[in-house]
Amino acid sequence: MGLTKQYLAYKPVSSFNIIASVRANISFVTINHVVGRYVVVAAAEKVLVWDMRIGEKVAEFVRDKQEVTFLRTSPDHKHLAVGYSDGVVELFSFASKESVCSFASHRSAVSALNFDLLGLKLVSGGLDNDLVVSDVVAQSGKCRLSGHTAPITQACFMQRYHDIVVSSSKDTQIKFWNIETQCCFKTIVDHRTEVWGIVLMRNDDFLVCATADTQLSVYKIASNLDETTAPAVQHSEEGENSVSPFRCTAAGSIQRAGHGRTINLVTDANGQVLGCHGTDRKIELFYFCSQEESVKKLTKRMKKLNTGKCNTAEEGGRETNVRQLALADEVKRLSTIPTPEKVKSFDLILGSRNQLRICCTFLKNLVHLFALDLDAKNAEPETLYALQKQGHPSEARSVSFSSDNLAIASGSAESLKLWSRASQTVLRTVETGGYVVSTCFVPGDRHVLVGLKSGQLLVVDVVPGEIIECIEAHEKELWSIVLTPDRHGCVSGGGDTTVKFWSFELIGGSGQEPKVLSLLHKNTLKLEETVLCVRISQNGKYIAVALLDTTVKVFFMDSLKFYLSLYGHKLPVLTMDISYDSTLIITGSADRTIKIWGMDFGDCHRSLLAHDNTVTAVQFLPNTHMFFSCAKDGKLKQWDADSFQKIITLPAHLGEAHALAISPNGKYIVSCGSDRTLRLYRRTDEPLVLQDVQEEEREELENATLATGEESTVPGMPGLKLPSKKTIGSEKGAENILECLEVSKQYDEEGGKGPLPPLMFAYSATNTDEFLLTVLSRIRASDLEESLLLLPFNAVCELLEKIPKLTIARKDHTELLCKVVLFLFRVHQKPIVSNQVLLPVIQQIVQTLQGAVGDLRDMVGTNLHAAQMLQRELEEHDGCVLFRDATKQRIQRNRQRKRREASKRKLLQIVK
């Protein structure tokens, strides 16, 4: 970096405008013991928690630049599991708003997440066709289940049967897995189309499946020891044997009233209410009755069928009634909830007073909360709250800054929104009635000029948020609006091959009414091709026009005579800008290049292959020759037009970037993109050294590709499938272990005397054993197995030789040492067994680890019984029961659950 020039870094401030992404699901969350008020949604790479009552954001979780694909809250409502498009599952804490642990589980996007009943295990499904079960307490993967041949659509734990996972996939199959044996023991192959979702209802009594048709398949699950349920029509199965602890039989189907395939199946926490929706605008609800309610309905139905014998025949026993139960006796149809748009995802929760709440996300960037009273007859759903004014319903296509740097205008397909730059909140929303493609603030910042795709030019008054004039400026798209240097008018360019010149006029104002701003047409420049962009030099001498024929023509501003023609792009120029001193003009084209031209002779100074896709916007920083560019590859880059160097690449949009705007003071940049976000960047006082920036980008590119390859292979174990994938963290962990072993070996060879090695000193270790233990404990739990897998066998032998001494010295790390030893034995069993040198080491490891585990177990047992004894003494001394409040709450919850199960609900229609 030269001494005469200094670059300052731009840092992202925030992203706004997005309420909820359509790729991920929505879920209710409980905050401060308040149920049914807060919802959690994905917003591109962020996770937002909205308070639906006041319409404000109360929490935000951010991990990285990857897009969020699935959300799931834990049963205790303390943690949130978030799946990302790179296959990573992150676990966040609602209390600290920070990440608790991370699981690198899948090789592609996460498509399903579910906790078990206690929230101790987490199952995730991905687009890589695999299921991964993770241990939340140990913060590591438990097993990987492979068997599906298409992406996973849903996965969940069974509550009644321990360690059993049910999964559905686009390969039309539903599989039941045993976690302990890591195998599939039952497969349902009834369906001929993709299975888009499954749910378990009424404590695993029913399994409901959603396919590509308008029917929901229902299967009844009964234990093999339960003889009260008669065998129904047996369905097709593969691999069913005596290992299965239950029978799964087809019970019938539920006919939906909606059209198209079933997209989502959702149930409440107790498995009583089932919700589903298709490709239309309605959510259908079904209620699964308890067994007592079903028997009563069956008895009434039988009495109606046997009216002549009802006086003489006695009611049959309970077992007979249970055998005769039909699906129509056990399922009720509730009221259908109509929605304003097509539903993308939804979640439901059943309150203590039988009030059902449903939250929905839609394609048009809005969230609705509905309520339905299940106790009321002919209950109609009502909309409680809606989030829709906090963002554009569609993608923003144009952005611009006000002259005081305080306001941002953004236009989308149906509206114009004005934002506060400081708080990123909406100030005004103006319905334009057309597709906005260009915006521009009028001097004074009281009015905004809006160009529509229909060719109309709107004059919007910012204070009342109203359109004061609509001008038929062009016959086709109004692609560009730019102010004249004297600020007394503007120039517009459209798809009708014309450039029109306008002047600002104040009209009206007779009497006490104020005058109104209007535009007066002054001149028209007729061209041969469609005008895509118009720019005027700051000295007012030239006007540059980008045409569809890939050229840029420059005219004299006063006489409109032809001056220069800039040709060289292979595809049309979509954007351009002229520097503050009117000496340079930059053009961005669909051919991915940016060309820098001189305004004096029209010569091309440099052609930059700037982006990987079409360049959509370029703009100079005020009073400099540096400029920013964005493109359809989603990247935002800063360039120097004098040295032709790229300065920095900013983290930008997940999809395409449509437009950018730089504030008049050059401190702020805002961009809009196809991920529906507006992203704000701020200039800092941190200087940039180009060599350092280039080195950081090179390292980031190298880190994106693993040095040891994607696959984790072990000689002699070709079928090894770990519940994790190799990451940069696991490679660094293996490097740290190898470095630790090497430093420790050199230090021990020197007799362990003298000054400590710098690396040991950095880890605050006083001896080699403590050094090794510190290195192992600092490796993330989910990366530990992959790190150990990368170690060569000689390093494994050195590590095993140190284990006995570590076990005796540090019994507080017995669990970590057991993990390391067991994994190394499992992976390197054959070479370890065949190595006679390791035999005494193995005997010593077995002896010391067994003793350490036994001591740990004795300590836990002693503490448990001591705590029970202290509890008994306190209860006898105080005369009251400990945890009385918690016991009362549990009893009250049980009563409320029984009351809900016994409540009556109206039957509408069930088709078997």
Side-chain angles (χ1 to χ4, degrees):
M1 182 182 67
L3 296 176
T4 59
K5 196 163 198 176
Q6 188 181 42
Y7 302 110
L8 297 179
Y10 281 82
K11 299 292 183 182
V13 177
S14 67
S15 61
F16 51 102
N17 176 61
I18 187 168
I19 300 174
S21 297
V22 296
R23 185 172 182 183
N25 61 316
I26 187 173
S27 178
F28 278 106
V29 293
T30 302
I31 298 179
N32 298 327
H33 306 289
V34 178
V35 182
R37 176 175 171 179
Y38 300 95
V39 297
V40 58
V41 297
E45 74 279 5
K46 295 182 179 180
V47 177
L48 307 179
V49 180
W50 290 97
D51 186 341
M52 295 297 295
R53 178 176 295 179
I54 61 178
E56 291 184 359
K57 181 173 60 177
V58 295
E60 184 177 296
F61 304 96
V62 183
R63 167 189 164 250
D64 208 347
K65 295 182 288 186
Q66 301 295 329
E67 186 179 7
V68 178
T69 57
F70 207 89
L71 304 169
R72 184 69 69 190
T73 55
S74 62
D76 58 1
H77 301 286
K78 293 182 179 179
H79 296 94
L80 174 69
V82 183
Y84 291 89
S85 59
D86 60 348
V88 174
V89 178
E90 199 88 12
L91 202 64
F92 293 96
S93 171
F94 282 110
S96 62
K97 307 293 188 301
E98 294 180 355
S99 174
V100 176
C101 62
S102 177
F103 305 103
S105 303
H106 300 276
R107 292 169 178 80
S108 55
V110 177
S111 58
L113 282 174
N114 250 317
F115 285 91
D116 66 345
L117 184 61
L118 299 177
L120 303 180
K121 288 191 284 290
L122 175 69
V123 60
S124 60
L127 300 183
D128 57 356
N129 310 346
D130 287 345
L131 293 164
V132 175
V133 180
S134 305
D135 192 333
V136 175
V137 179
Q139 298 185 3
S140 62
K142 194 174 178 67
C143 63
R144 180 181 294 272
L145 307 173
S146 300
H148 284 291
T149 58
I152 307 296
T153 55
Q154 189 57 272
C156 56
F157 284 94
M158 297 189 74
Q159 298 181 6
R160 189 188 304 175
Y161 303 98
H162 185 60
D163 282 349
I164 292 180
V165 171
V166 191
S167 64
S168 63
S169 170
K170 291 184 181 180
D171 61 3
T172 73
Q173 296 180 356
I174 300 171
K175 290 182 178 292
F176 294 81
W177 307 82
N178 191 327
I179 298 176
E180 294 299 325
T181 60
Q182 300 183 20
C183 68
C184 171
F185 63 88
K186 186 187 289 287
T187 303
I188 299 177
V189 291
D190 288 352
H191 309 288
R192 297 188 178 183
T193 56
E194 297 92 345
V195 180
W196 292 100
I198 54 172
V199 287
L200 292 166
M201 303 298 299
R202 212 179 73 181
N203 194 21
D204 297 347
D205 282 343
F206 294 96
L207 174 68
V208 184
C209 315
T211 56
D213 53 18
T214 59
Q215 289 185 342
L216 303 178
S217 302
V218 182
Y219 295 91
K220 199 160 190 177
I221 299 175
S223 173
N224 286 330
L225 303 177
D226 187 9
E227 299 178 355
T228 60
T229 305
V233 180
Q234 190 69 23
H235 64 286
S236 304
E237 292 186 354
E238 289 181 356
E240 184 177 3
N241 49 40
S242 58
V243 179
S244 175
F246 53 82
R247 299 191 309 274
C248 186
T249 54
S253 60
I254 302 174
Q255 179 66 45
R256 293 193 301 110
H259 303 292
R261 72 170 179 89
T262 307
I263 296 178
N264 279 324
L265 280 183
V266 178
T267 181
D268 66 317
N270 296 325
Q272 290 179 292
V273 180
L274 171 68
C276 65
H277 73 89
T279 56
D280 50 1
R281 301 182 179 184
K282 63 176 69 172
I283 297 175
E284 299 177 62
L285 301 172
F286 303 93
Y287 173 71
F288 280 71
C289 306
S290 63
Q291 202 167 46
E292 291 78 7
E293 292 175 326
S294 303
V295 170
K296 288 181 181 179
K297 289 181 62 177
L298 175 62
T299 304
K300 290 181 180 179
R301 184 165 60 86
M302 295 302 290
K303 283 183 178 180
K304 291 181 180 179
L305 294 176
N306 303 322
T307 53
K309 302 178 181 180
C310 61
N311 295 327
T312 58
E314 294 292 333
E315 185 179 343
R318 179 181 177 82
E319 293 184 2
T320 306
N321 286 337
V322 171
R323 287 174 179 272
Q324 295 175 350
L325 280 177
L327 189 60
D329 299 322
E330 300 192 274
V331 182
K332 294 180 181 179
R333 186 187 295 270
L334 303 178
S335 300
T336 300
I337 298 179
T339 57
E341 299 290 338
K342 289 184 179 180
V343 182
K344 296 302 293 183
S345 70
F346 76 102
D347 192 20
L348 54 88
I349 189 170
L350 187 60
S352 58
R353 298 179 182 178
N354 275 345
Q355 187 187 43
L356 190 68
R357 288 200 173 187
I358 302 100
C359 58
C360 308
T361 61
F362 305 92
L363 184 63
K364 290 192 173 181
N365 194 28
L366 64 151
V367 178
H368 276 214
L369 182 63
F370 302 95
L372 181 66
D373 190 0
L374 300 185
D375 288 338
K377 292 185 177 180
N378 300 324
E380 292 293 331
E382 59 174 336
T383 303
L384 294 182
Y385 311 107
L387 298 176
Q388 55 187 7
K389 295 183 179 180
Q390 288 83 350
H392 284 287
S394 59
E395 301 173 8
R397 288 285 176 171
S398 176
V399 286
S400 59
F401 261 104
S402 61
S403 61
D404 57 3
N405 314 293
L406 297 178
I408 300 171
S410 63
S412 65
E414 59 285 305
S415 62
L416 173 79
K417 284 186 180 290
L418 297 170
W419 306 81
S420 169
R421 190 261 305 159
S423 61
Q424 294 95 47
T425 55
V426 178
L427 302 176
R428 295 286 187 276
T429 300
V430 181
E431 298 296 330
T432 58
Y435 201 111
V436 179
V437 292
S438 56
T439 54
C440 179
F441 273 91
V442 176
D445 298 333
R446 184 186 171 93
H447 299 85
V448 180
L449 301 179
V450 180
L452 302 184
K453 205 169 186 179
S454 60
Q456 295 177 330
L457 180 59
L458 307 181
V459 182
V460 178
D461 195 340
V462 170
V463 178
E466 296 177 351
I467 300 174
I468 59 175
E469 189 174 6
C470 178
I471 303 171
E472 298 293 337
H474 294 269
E475 297 177 359
K476 293 183 179 179
E477 301 89 349
L478 202 163
W479 289 119
S480 182
I481 305 174
V482 60
L483 295 177
T484 56
D486 58 3
R487 299 291 190 265
H488 291 164
C490 66
V491 178
S492 64
D496 57 355
T497 70
T498 59
V499 175
K500 294 189 177 181
F501 297 81
W502 311 82
S503 64
F504 298 133
E505 299 288 341
L506 292 175
I507 61 173
S510 59
Q512 297 181 352
E513 294 181 1
K515 293 185 177 182
V516 179
L517 178 71
S518 180
L519 297 181
L520 180 63
H521 181 225
K522 294 177 62 179
N523 204 351
T524 300
L525 174 63
K526 183 68 177 177
L527 297 162
E528 296 80 13
E529 295 286 344
T530 298
V531 177
L532 298 178
C533 187
V534 176
R535 289 294 181 268
I536 302 175
S537 62
Q538 291 296 317
N539 56 13
K541 291 179 63 177
Y542 308 111
I543 177 171
V545 183
L547 302 177
L548 193 62
D549 61 359
T550 72
T551 64
V552 176
K553 296 187 182 300
V554 184
F555 300 88
F556 289 102
M557 186 69 177
D558 49 0
S559 63
L560 297 183
K561 288 185 177 180
F562 177 76
Y563 172 53
L564 289 172
S565 179
L566 311 178
Y567 54 90
H569 284 288
K570 297 178 181 179
L571 291 173
V573 174
L574 302 179
T575 177
M576 59 183 178
D577 197 17
I578 301 175
S579 62
Y580 72 103
D581 53 4
S582 304
T583 58
L584 295 177
I585 178 172
I586 51 174
T587 57
S589 169
D591 60 4
R592 304 177 298 171
T593 63
I594 294 175
K595 292 184 185 292
I596 304 171
W597 315 77
M599 287 290 288
D600 45 3
F601 301 107
D603 56 326
C604 181
H605 292 181
R606 186 64 63 93
S607 179
L608 305 171
L609 184 59
H611 291 272
D612 299 329
N613 209 329
T614 301
V615 180
T616 54
V618 292
Q619 187 173 347
F620 274 106
L621 282 168
N623 302 322
T624 68
H625 280 179
M626 294 181 289
F627 64 93
F628 277 89
S629 67
C630 67
K632 287 187 178 181
D633 59 1
K635 296 178 182 177
L636 187 66
K637 297 183 179 182
Q638 184 183 4
W639 306 83
D640 191 337
D642 292 331
S643 62
F644 316 120
Q645 286 184 320
K646 186 188 71 174
I647 300 172
I648 194 172
T649 301
L650 295 176
H653 299 273
L654 297 177
E656 300 177 355
H658 295 321
L660 68 86
I662 300 176
S663 61
N665 60 6
K667 290 185 178 181
Y668 298 95
I669 303 169
V670 65
S671 65
C672 60
S674 62
D675 57 359
R676 304 198 179 200
T677 60
L678 296 177
R679 297 179 185 264
L680 184 65
Y681 306 87
R682 181 175 58 86
R683 188 176 65 202
T684 63
D685 295 331
E686 176 187 348
L688 283 178
V689 180
L690 292 186
Q691 290 81 2
D692 294 347
V693 173
Q694 293 169 1
E695 185 65 28
E696 288 177 3
E697 291 181 355
R698 195 178 302 113
E699 287 181 1
E700 185 178 355
L701 187 61
E702 290 177 357
N703 290 339
T705 58
L706 297 171
T708 56
E710 294 290 339
E711 296 296 328
S712 300
T713 57
V714 179
M717 297 186 69
L720 180 65
K721 291 187 177 181
L722 295 179
S724 58
K725 71 173 182 178
K726 195 184 300 182
T727 60
I728 303 299
S730 59
E731 286 189 345
K732 289 182 178 178
E735 290 176 2
N736 292 338
I737 294 175
L738 291 174
E739 195 173 17
C740 169
L741 293 174
E742 184 180 354
V743 171
S744 300
K745 186 177 180 180
Q746 292 179 358
Y747 187 66
D748 290 338
E749 288 177 353
E750 295 173 359
K753 298 179 181 179
L756 290 174
L759 195 60
M760 288 180 62
F761 186 77
Y763 278 92
S764 302
T766 57
N767 53 57
T768 56
D769 294 335
E770 188 178 350
F771 181 32
L772 176 60
L773 196 59
T774 305
V775 170
L776 289 174
S777 60
R778 288 195 179 186
I779 300 175
R780 197 168 58 180
S782 58
D783 290 334
L784 180 62
E785 291 187 352
E786 292 285 351
S787 298
L788 295 174
L789 196 62
L790 293 173
L791 297 179
F793 184 68
N794 58 345
V796 171
C797 296
E798 293 180 18
L799 186 58
L800 289 176
E801 290 173 357
K802 292 179 176 293
I803 292 295
K805 188 177 179 181
L806 276 177
T807 307
I808 297 172
R810 297 296 299 270
K811 292 188 177 182
D812 54 331
H813 286 76
T814 302
E815 183 182 0
L816 175 62
L817 295 176
C818 285
K819 282 183 182 178
V820 173
V821 170
L822 291 176
F823 180 77
L824 291 178
F825 276 22
R826 180 161 63 95
V827 173
H828 301 282
Q829 179 185 7
K830 291 182 179 180
I832 288 176
V833 170
S834 61
N835 193 341
Q836 295 295 327
V837 181
L838 287 178
L839 180 59
V841 176
I842 294 173
Q843 292 175 346
Q844 197 174 2
I845 287 175
V846 171
Q847 183 180 358
T848 54
L849 276 182
Q850 282 182 347
V853 172
D855 294 343
L856 194 61
R857 185 174 61 245
D858 293 342
M859 182 182 66
V860 171
T862 303
N863 292 338
L864 175 63
H865 288 85
Q868 291 177 351
M869 185 186 70
L870 291 175
Q871 179 182 352
R872 287 194 299 269
E873 290 181 356
L874 285 174
E875 289 176 354
E876 291 176 0
H877 182 267
D878 296 339
C880 64
V881 180
L882 288 181
F883 311 112
R884 183 180 177 185
D885 295 337
T887 307
K888 278 186 174 182
Q889 290 179 1
R890 186 188 66 187
I891 295 173
Q892 186 176 3
R893 284 198 301 268
N894 291 339
R895 287 177 180 173
Q896 291 173 353
R897 179 176 55 82
K898 291 180 180 178
R899 197 180 301 122
R900 284 199 304 268
E901 291 177 353
S903 61
K904 304 287 185 178
R905 289 176 176 85
K906 185 176 180 180
L907 171 64
L908 295 181
Q909 182 185 5
I910 294 291
V911 178
K912 184 176 179 181

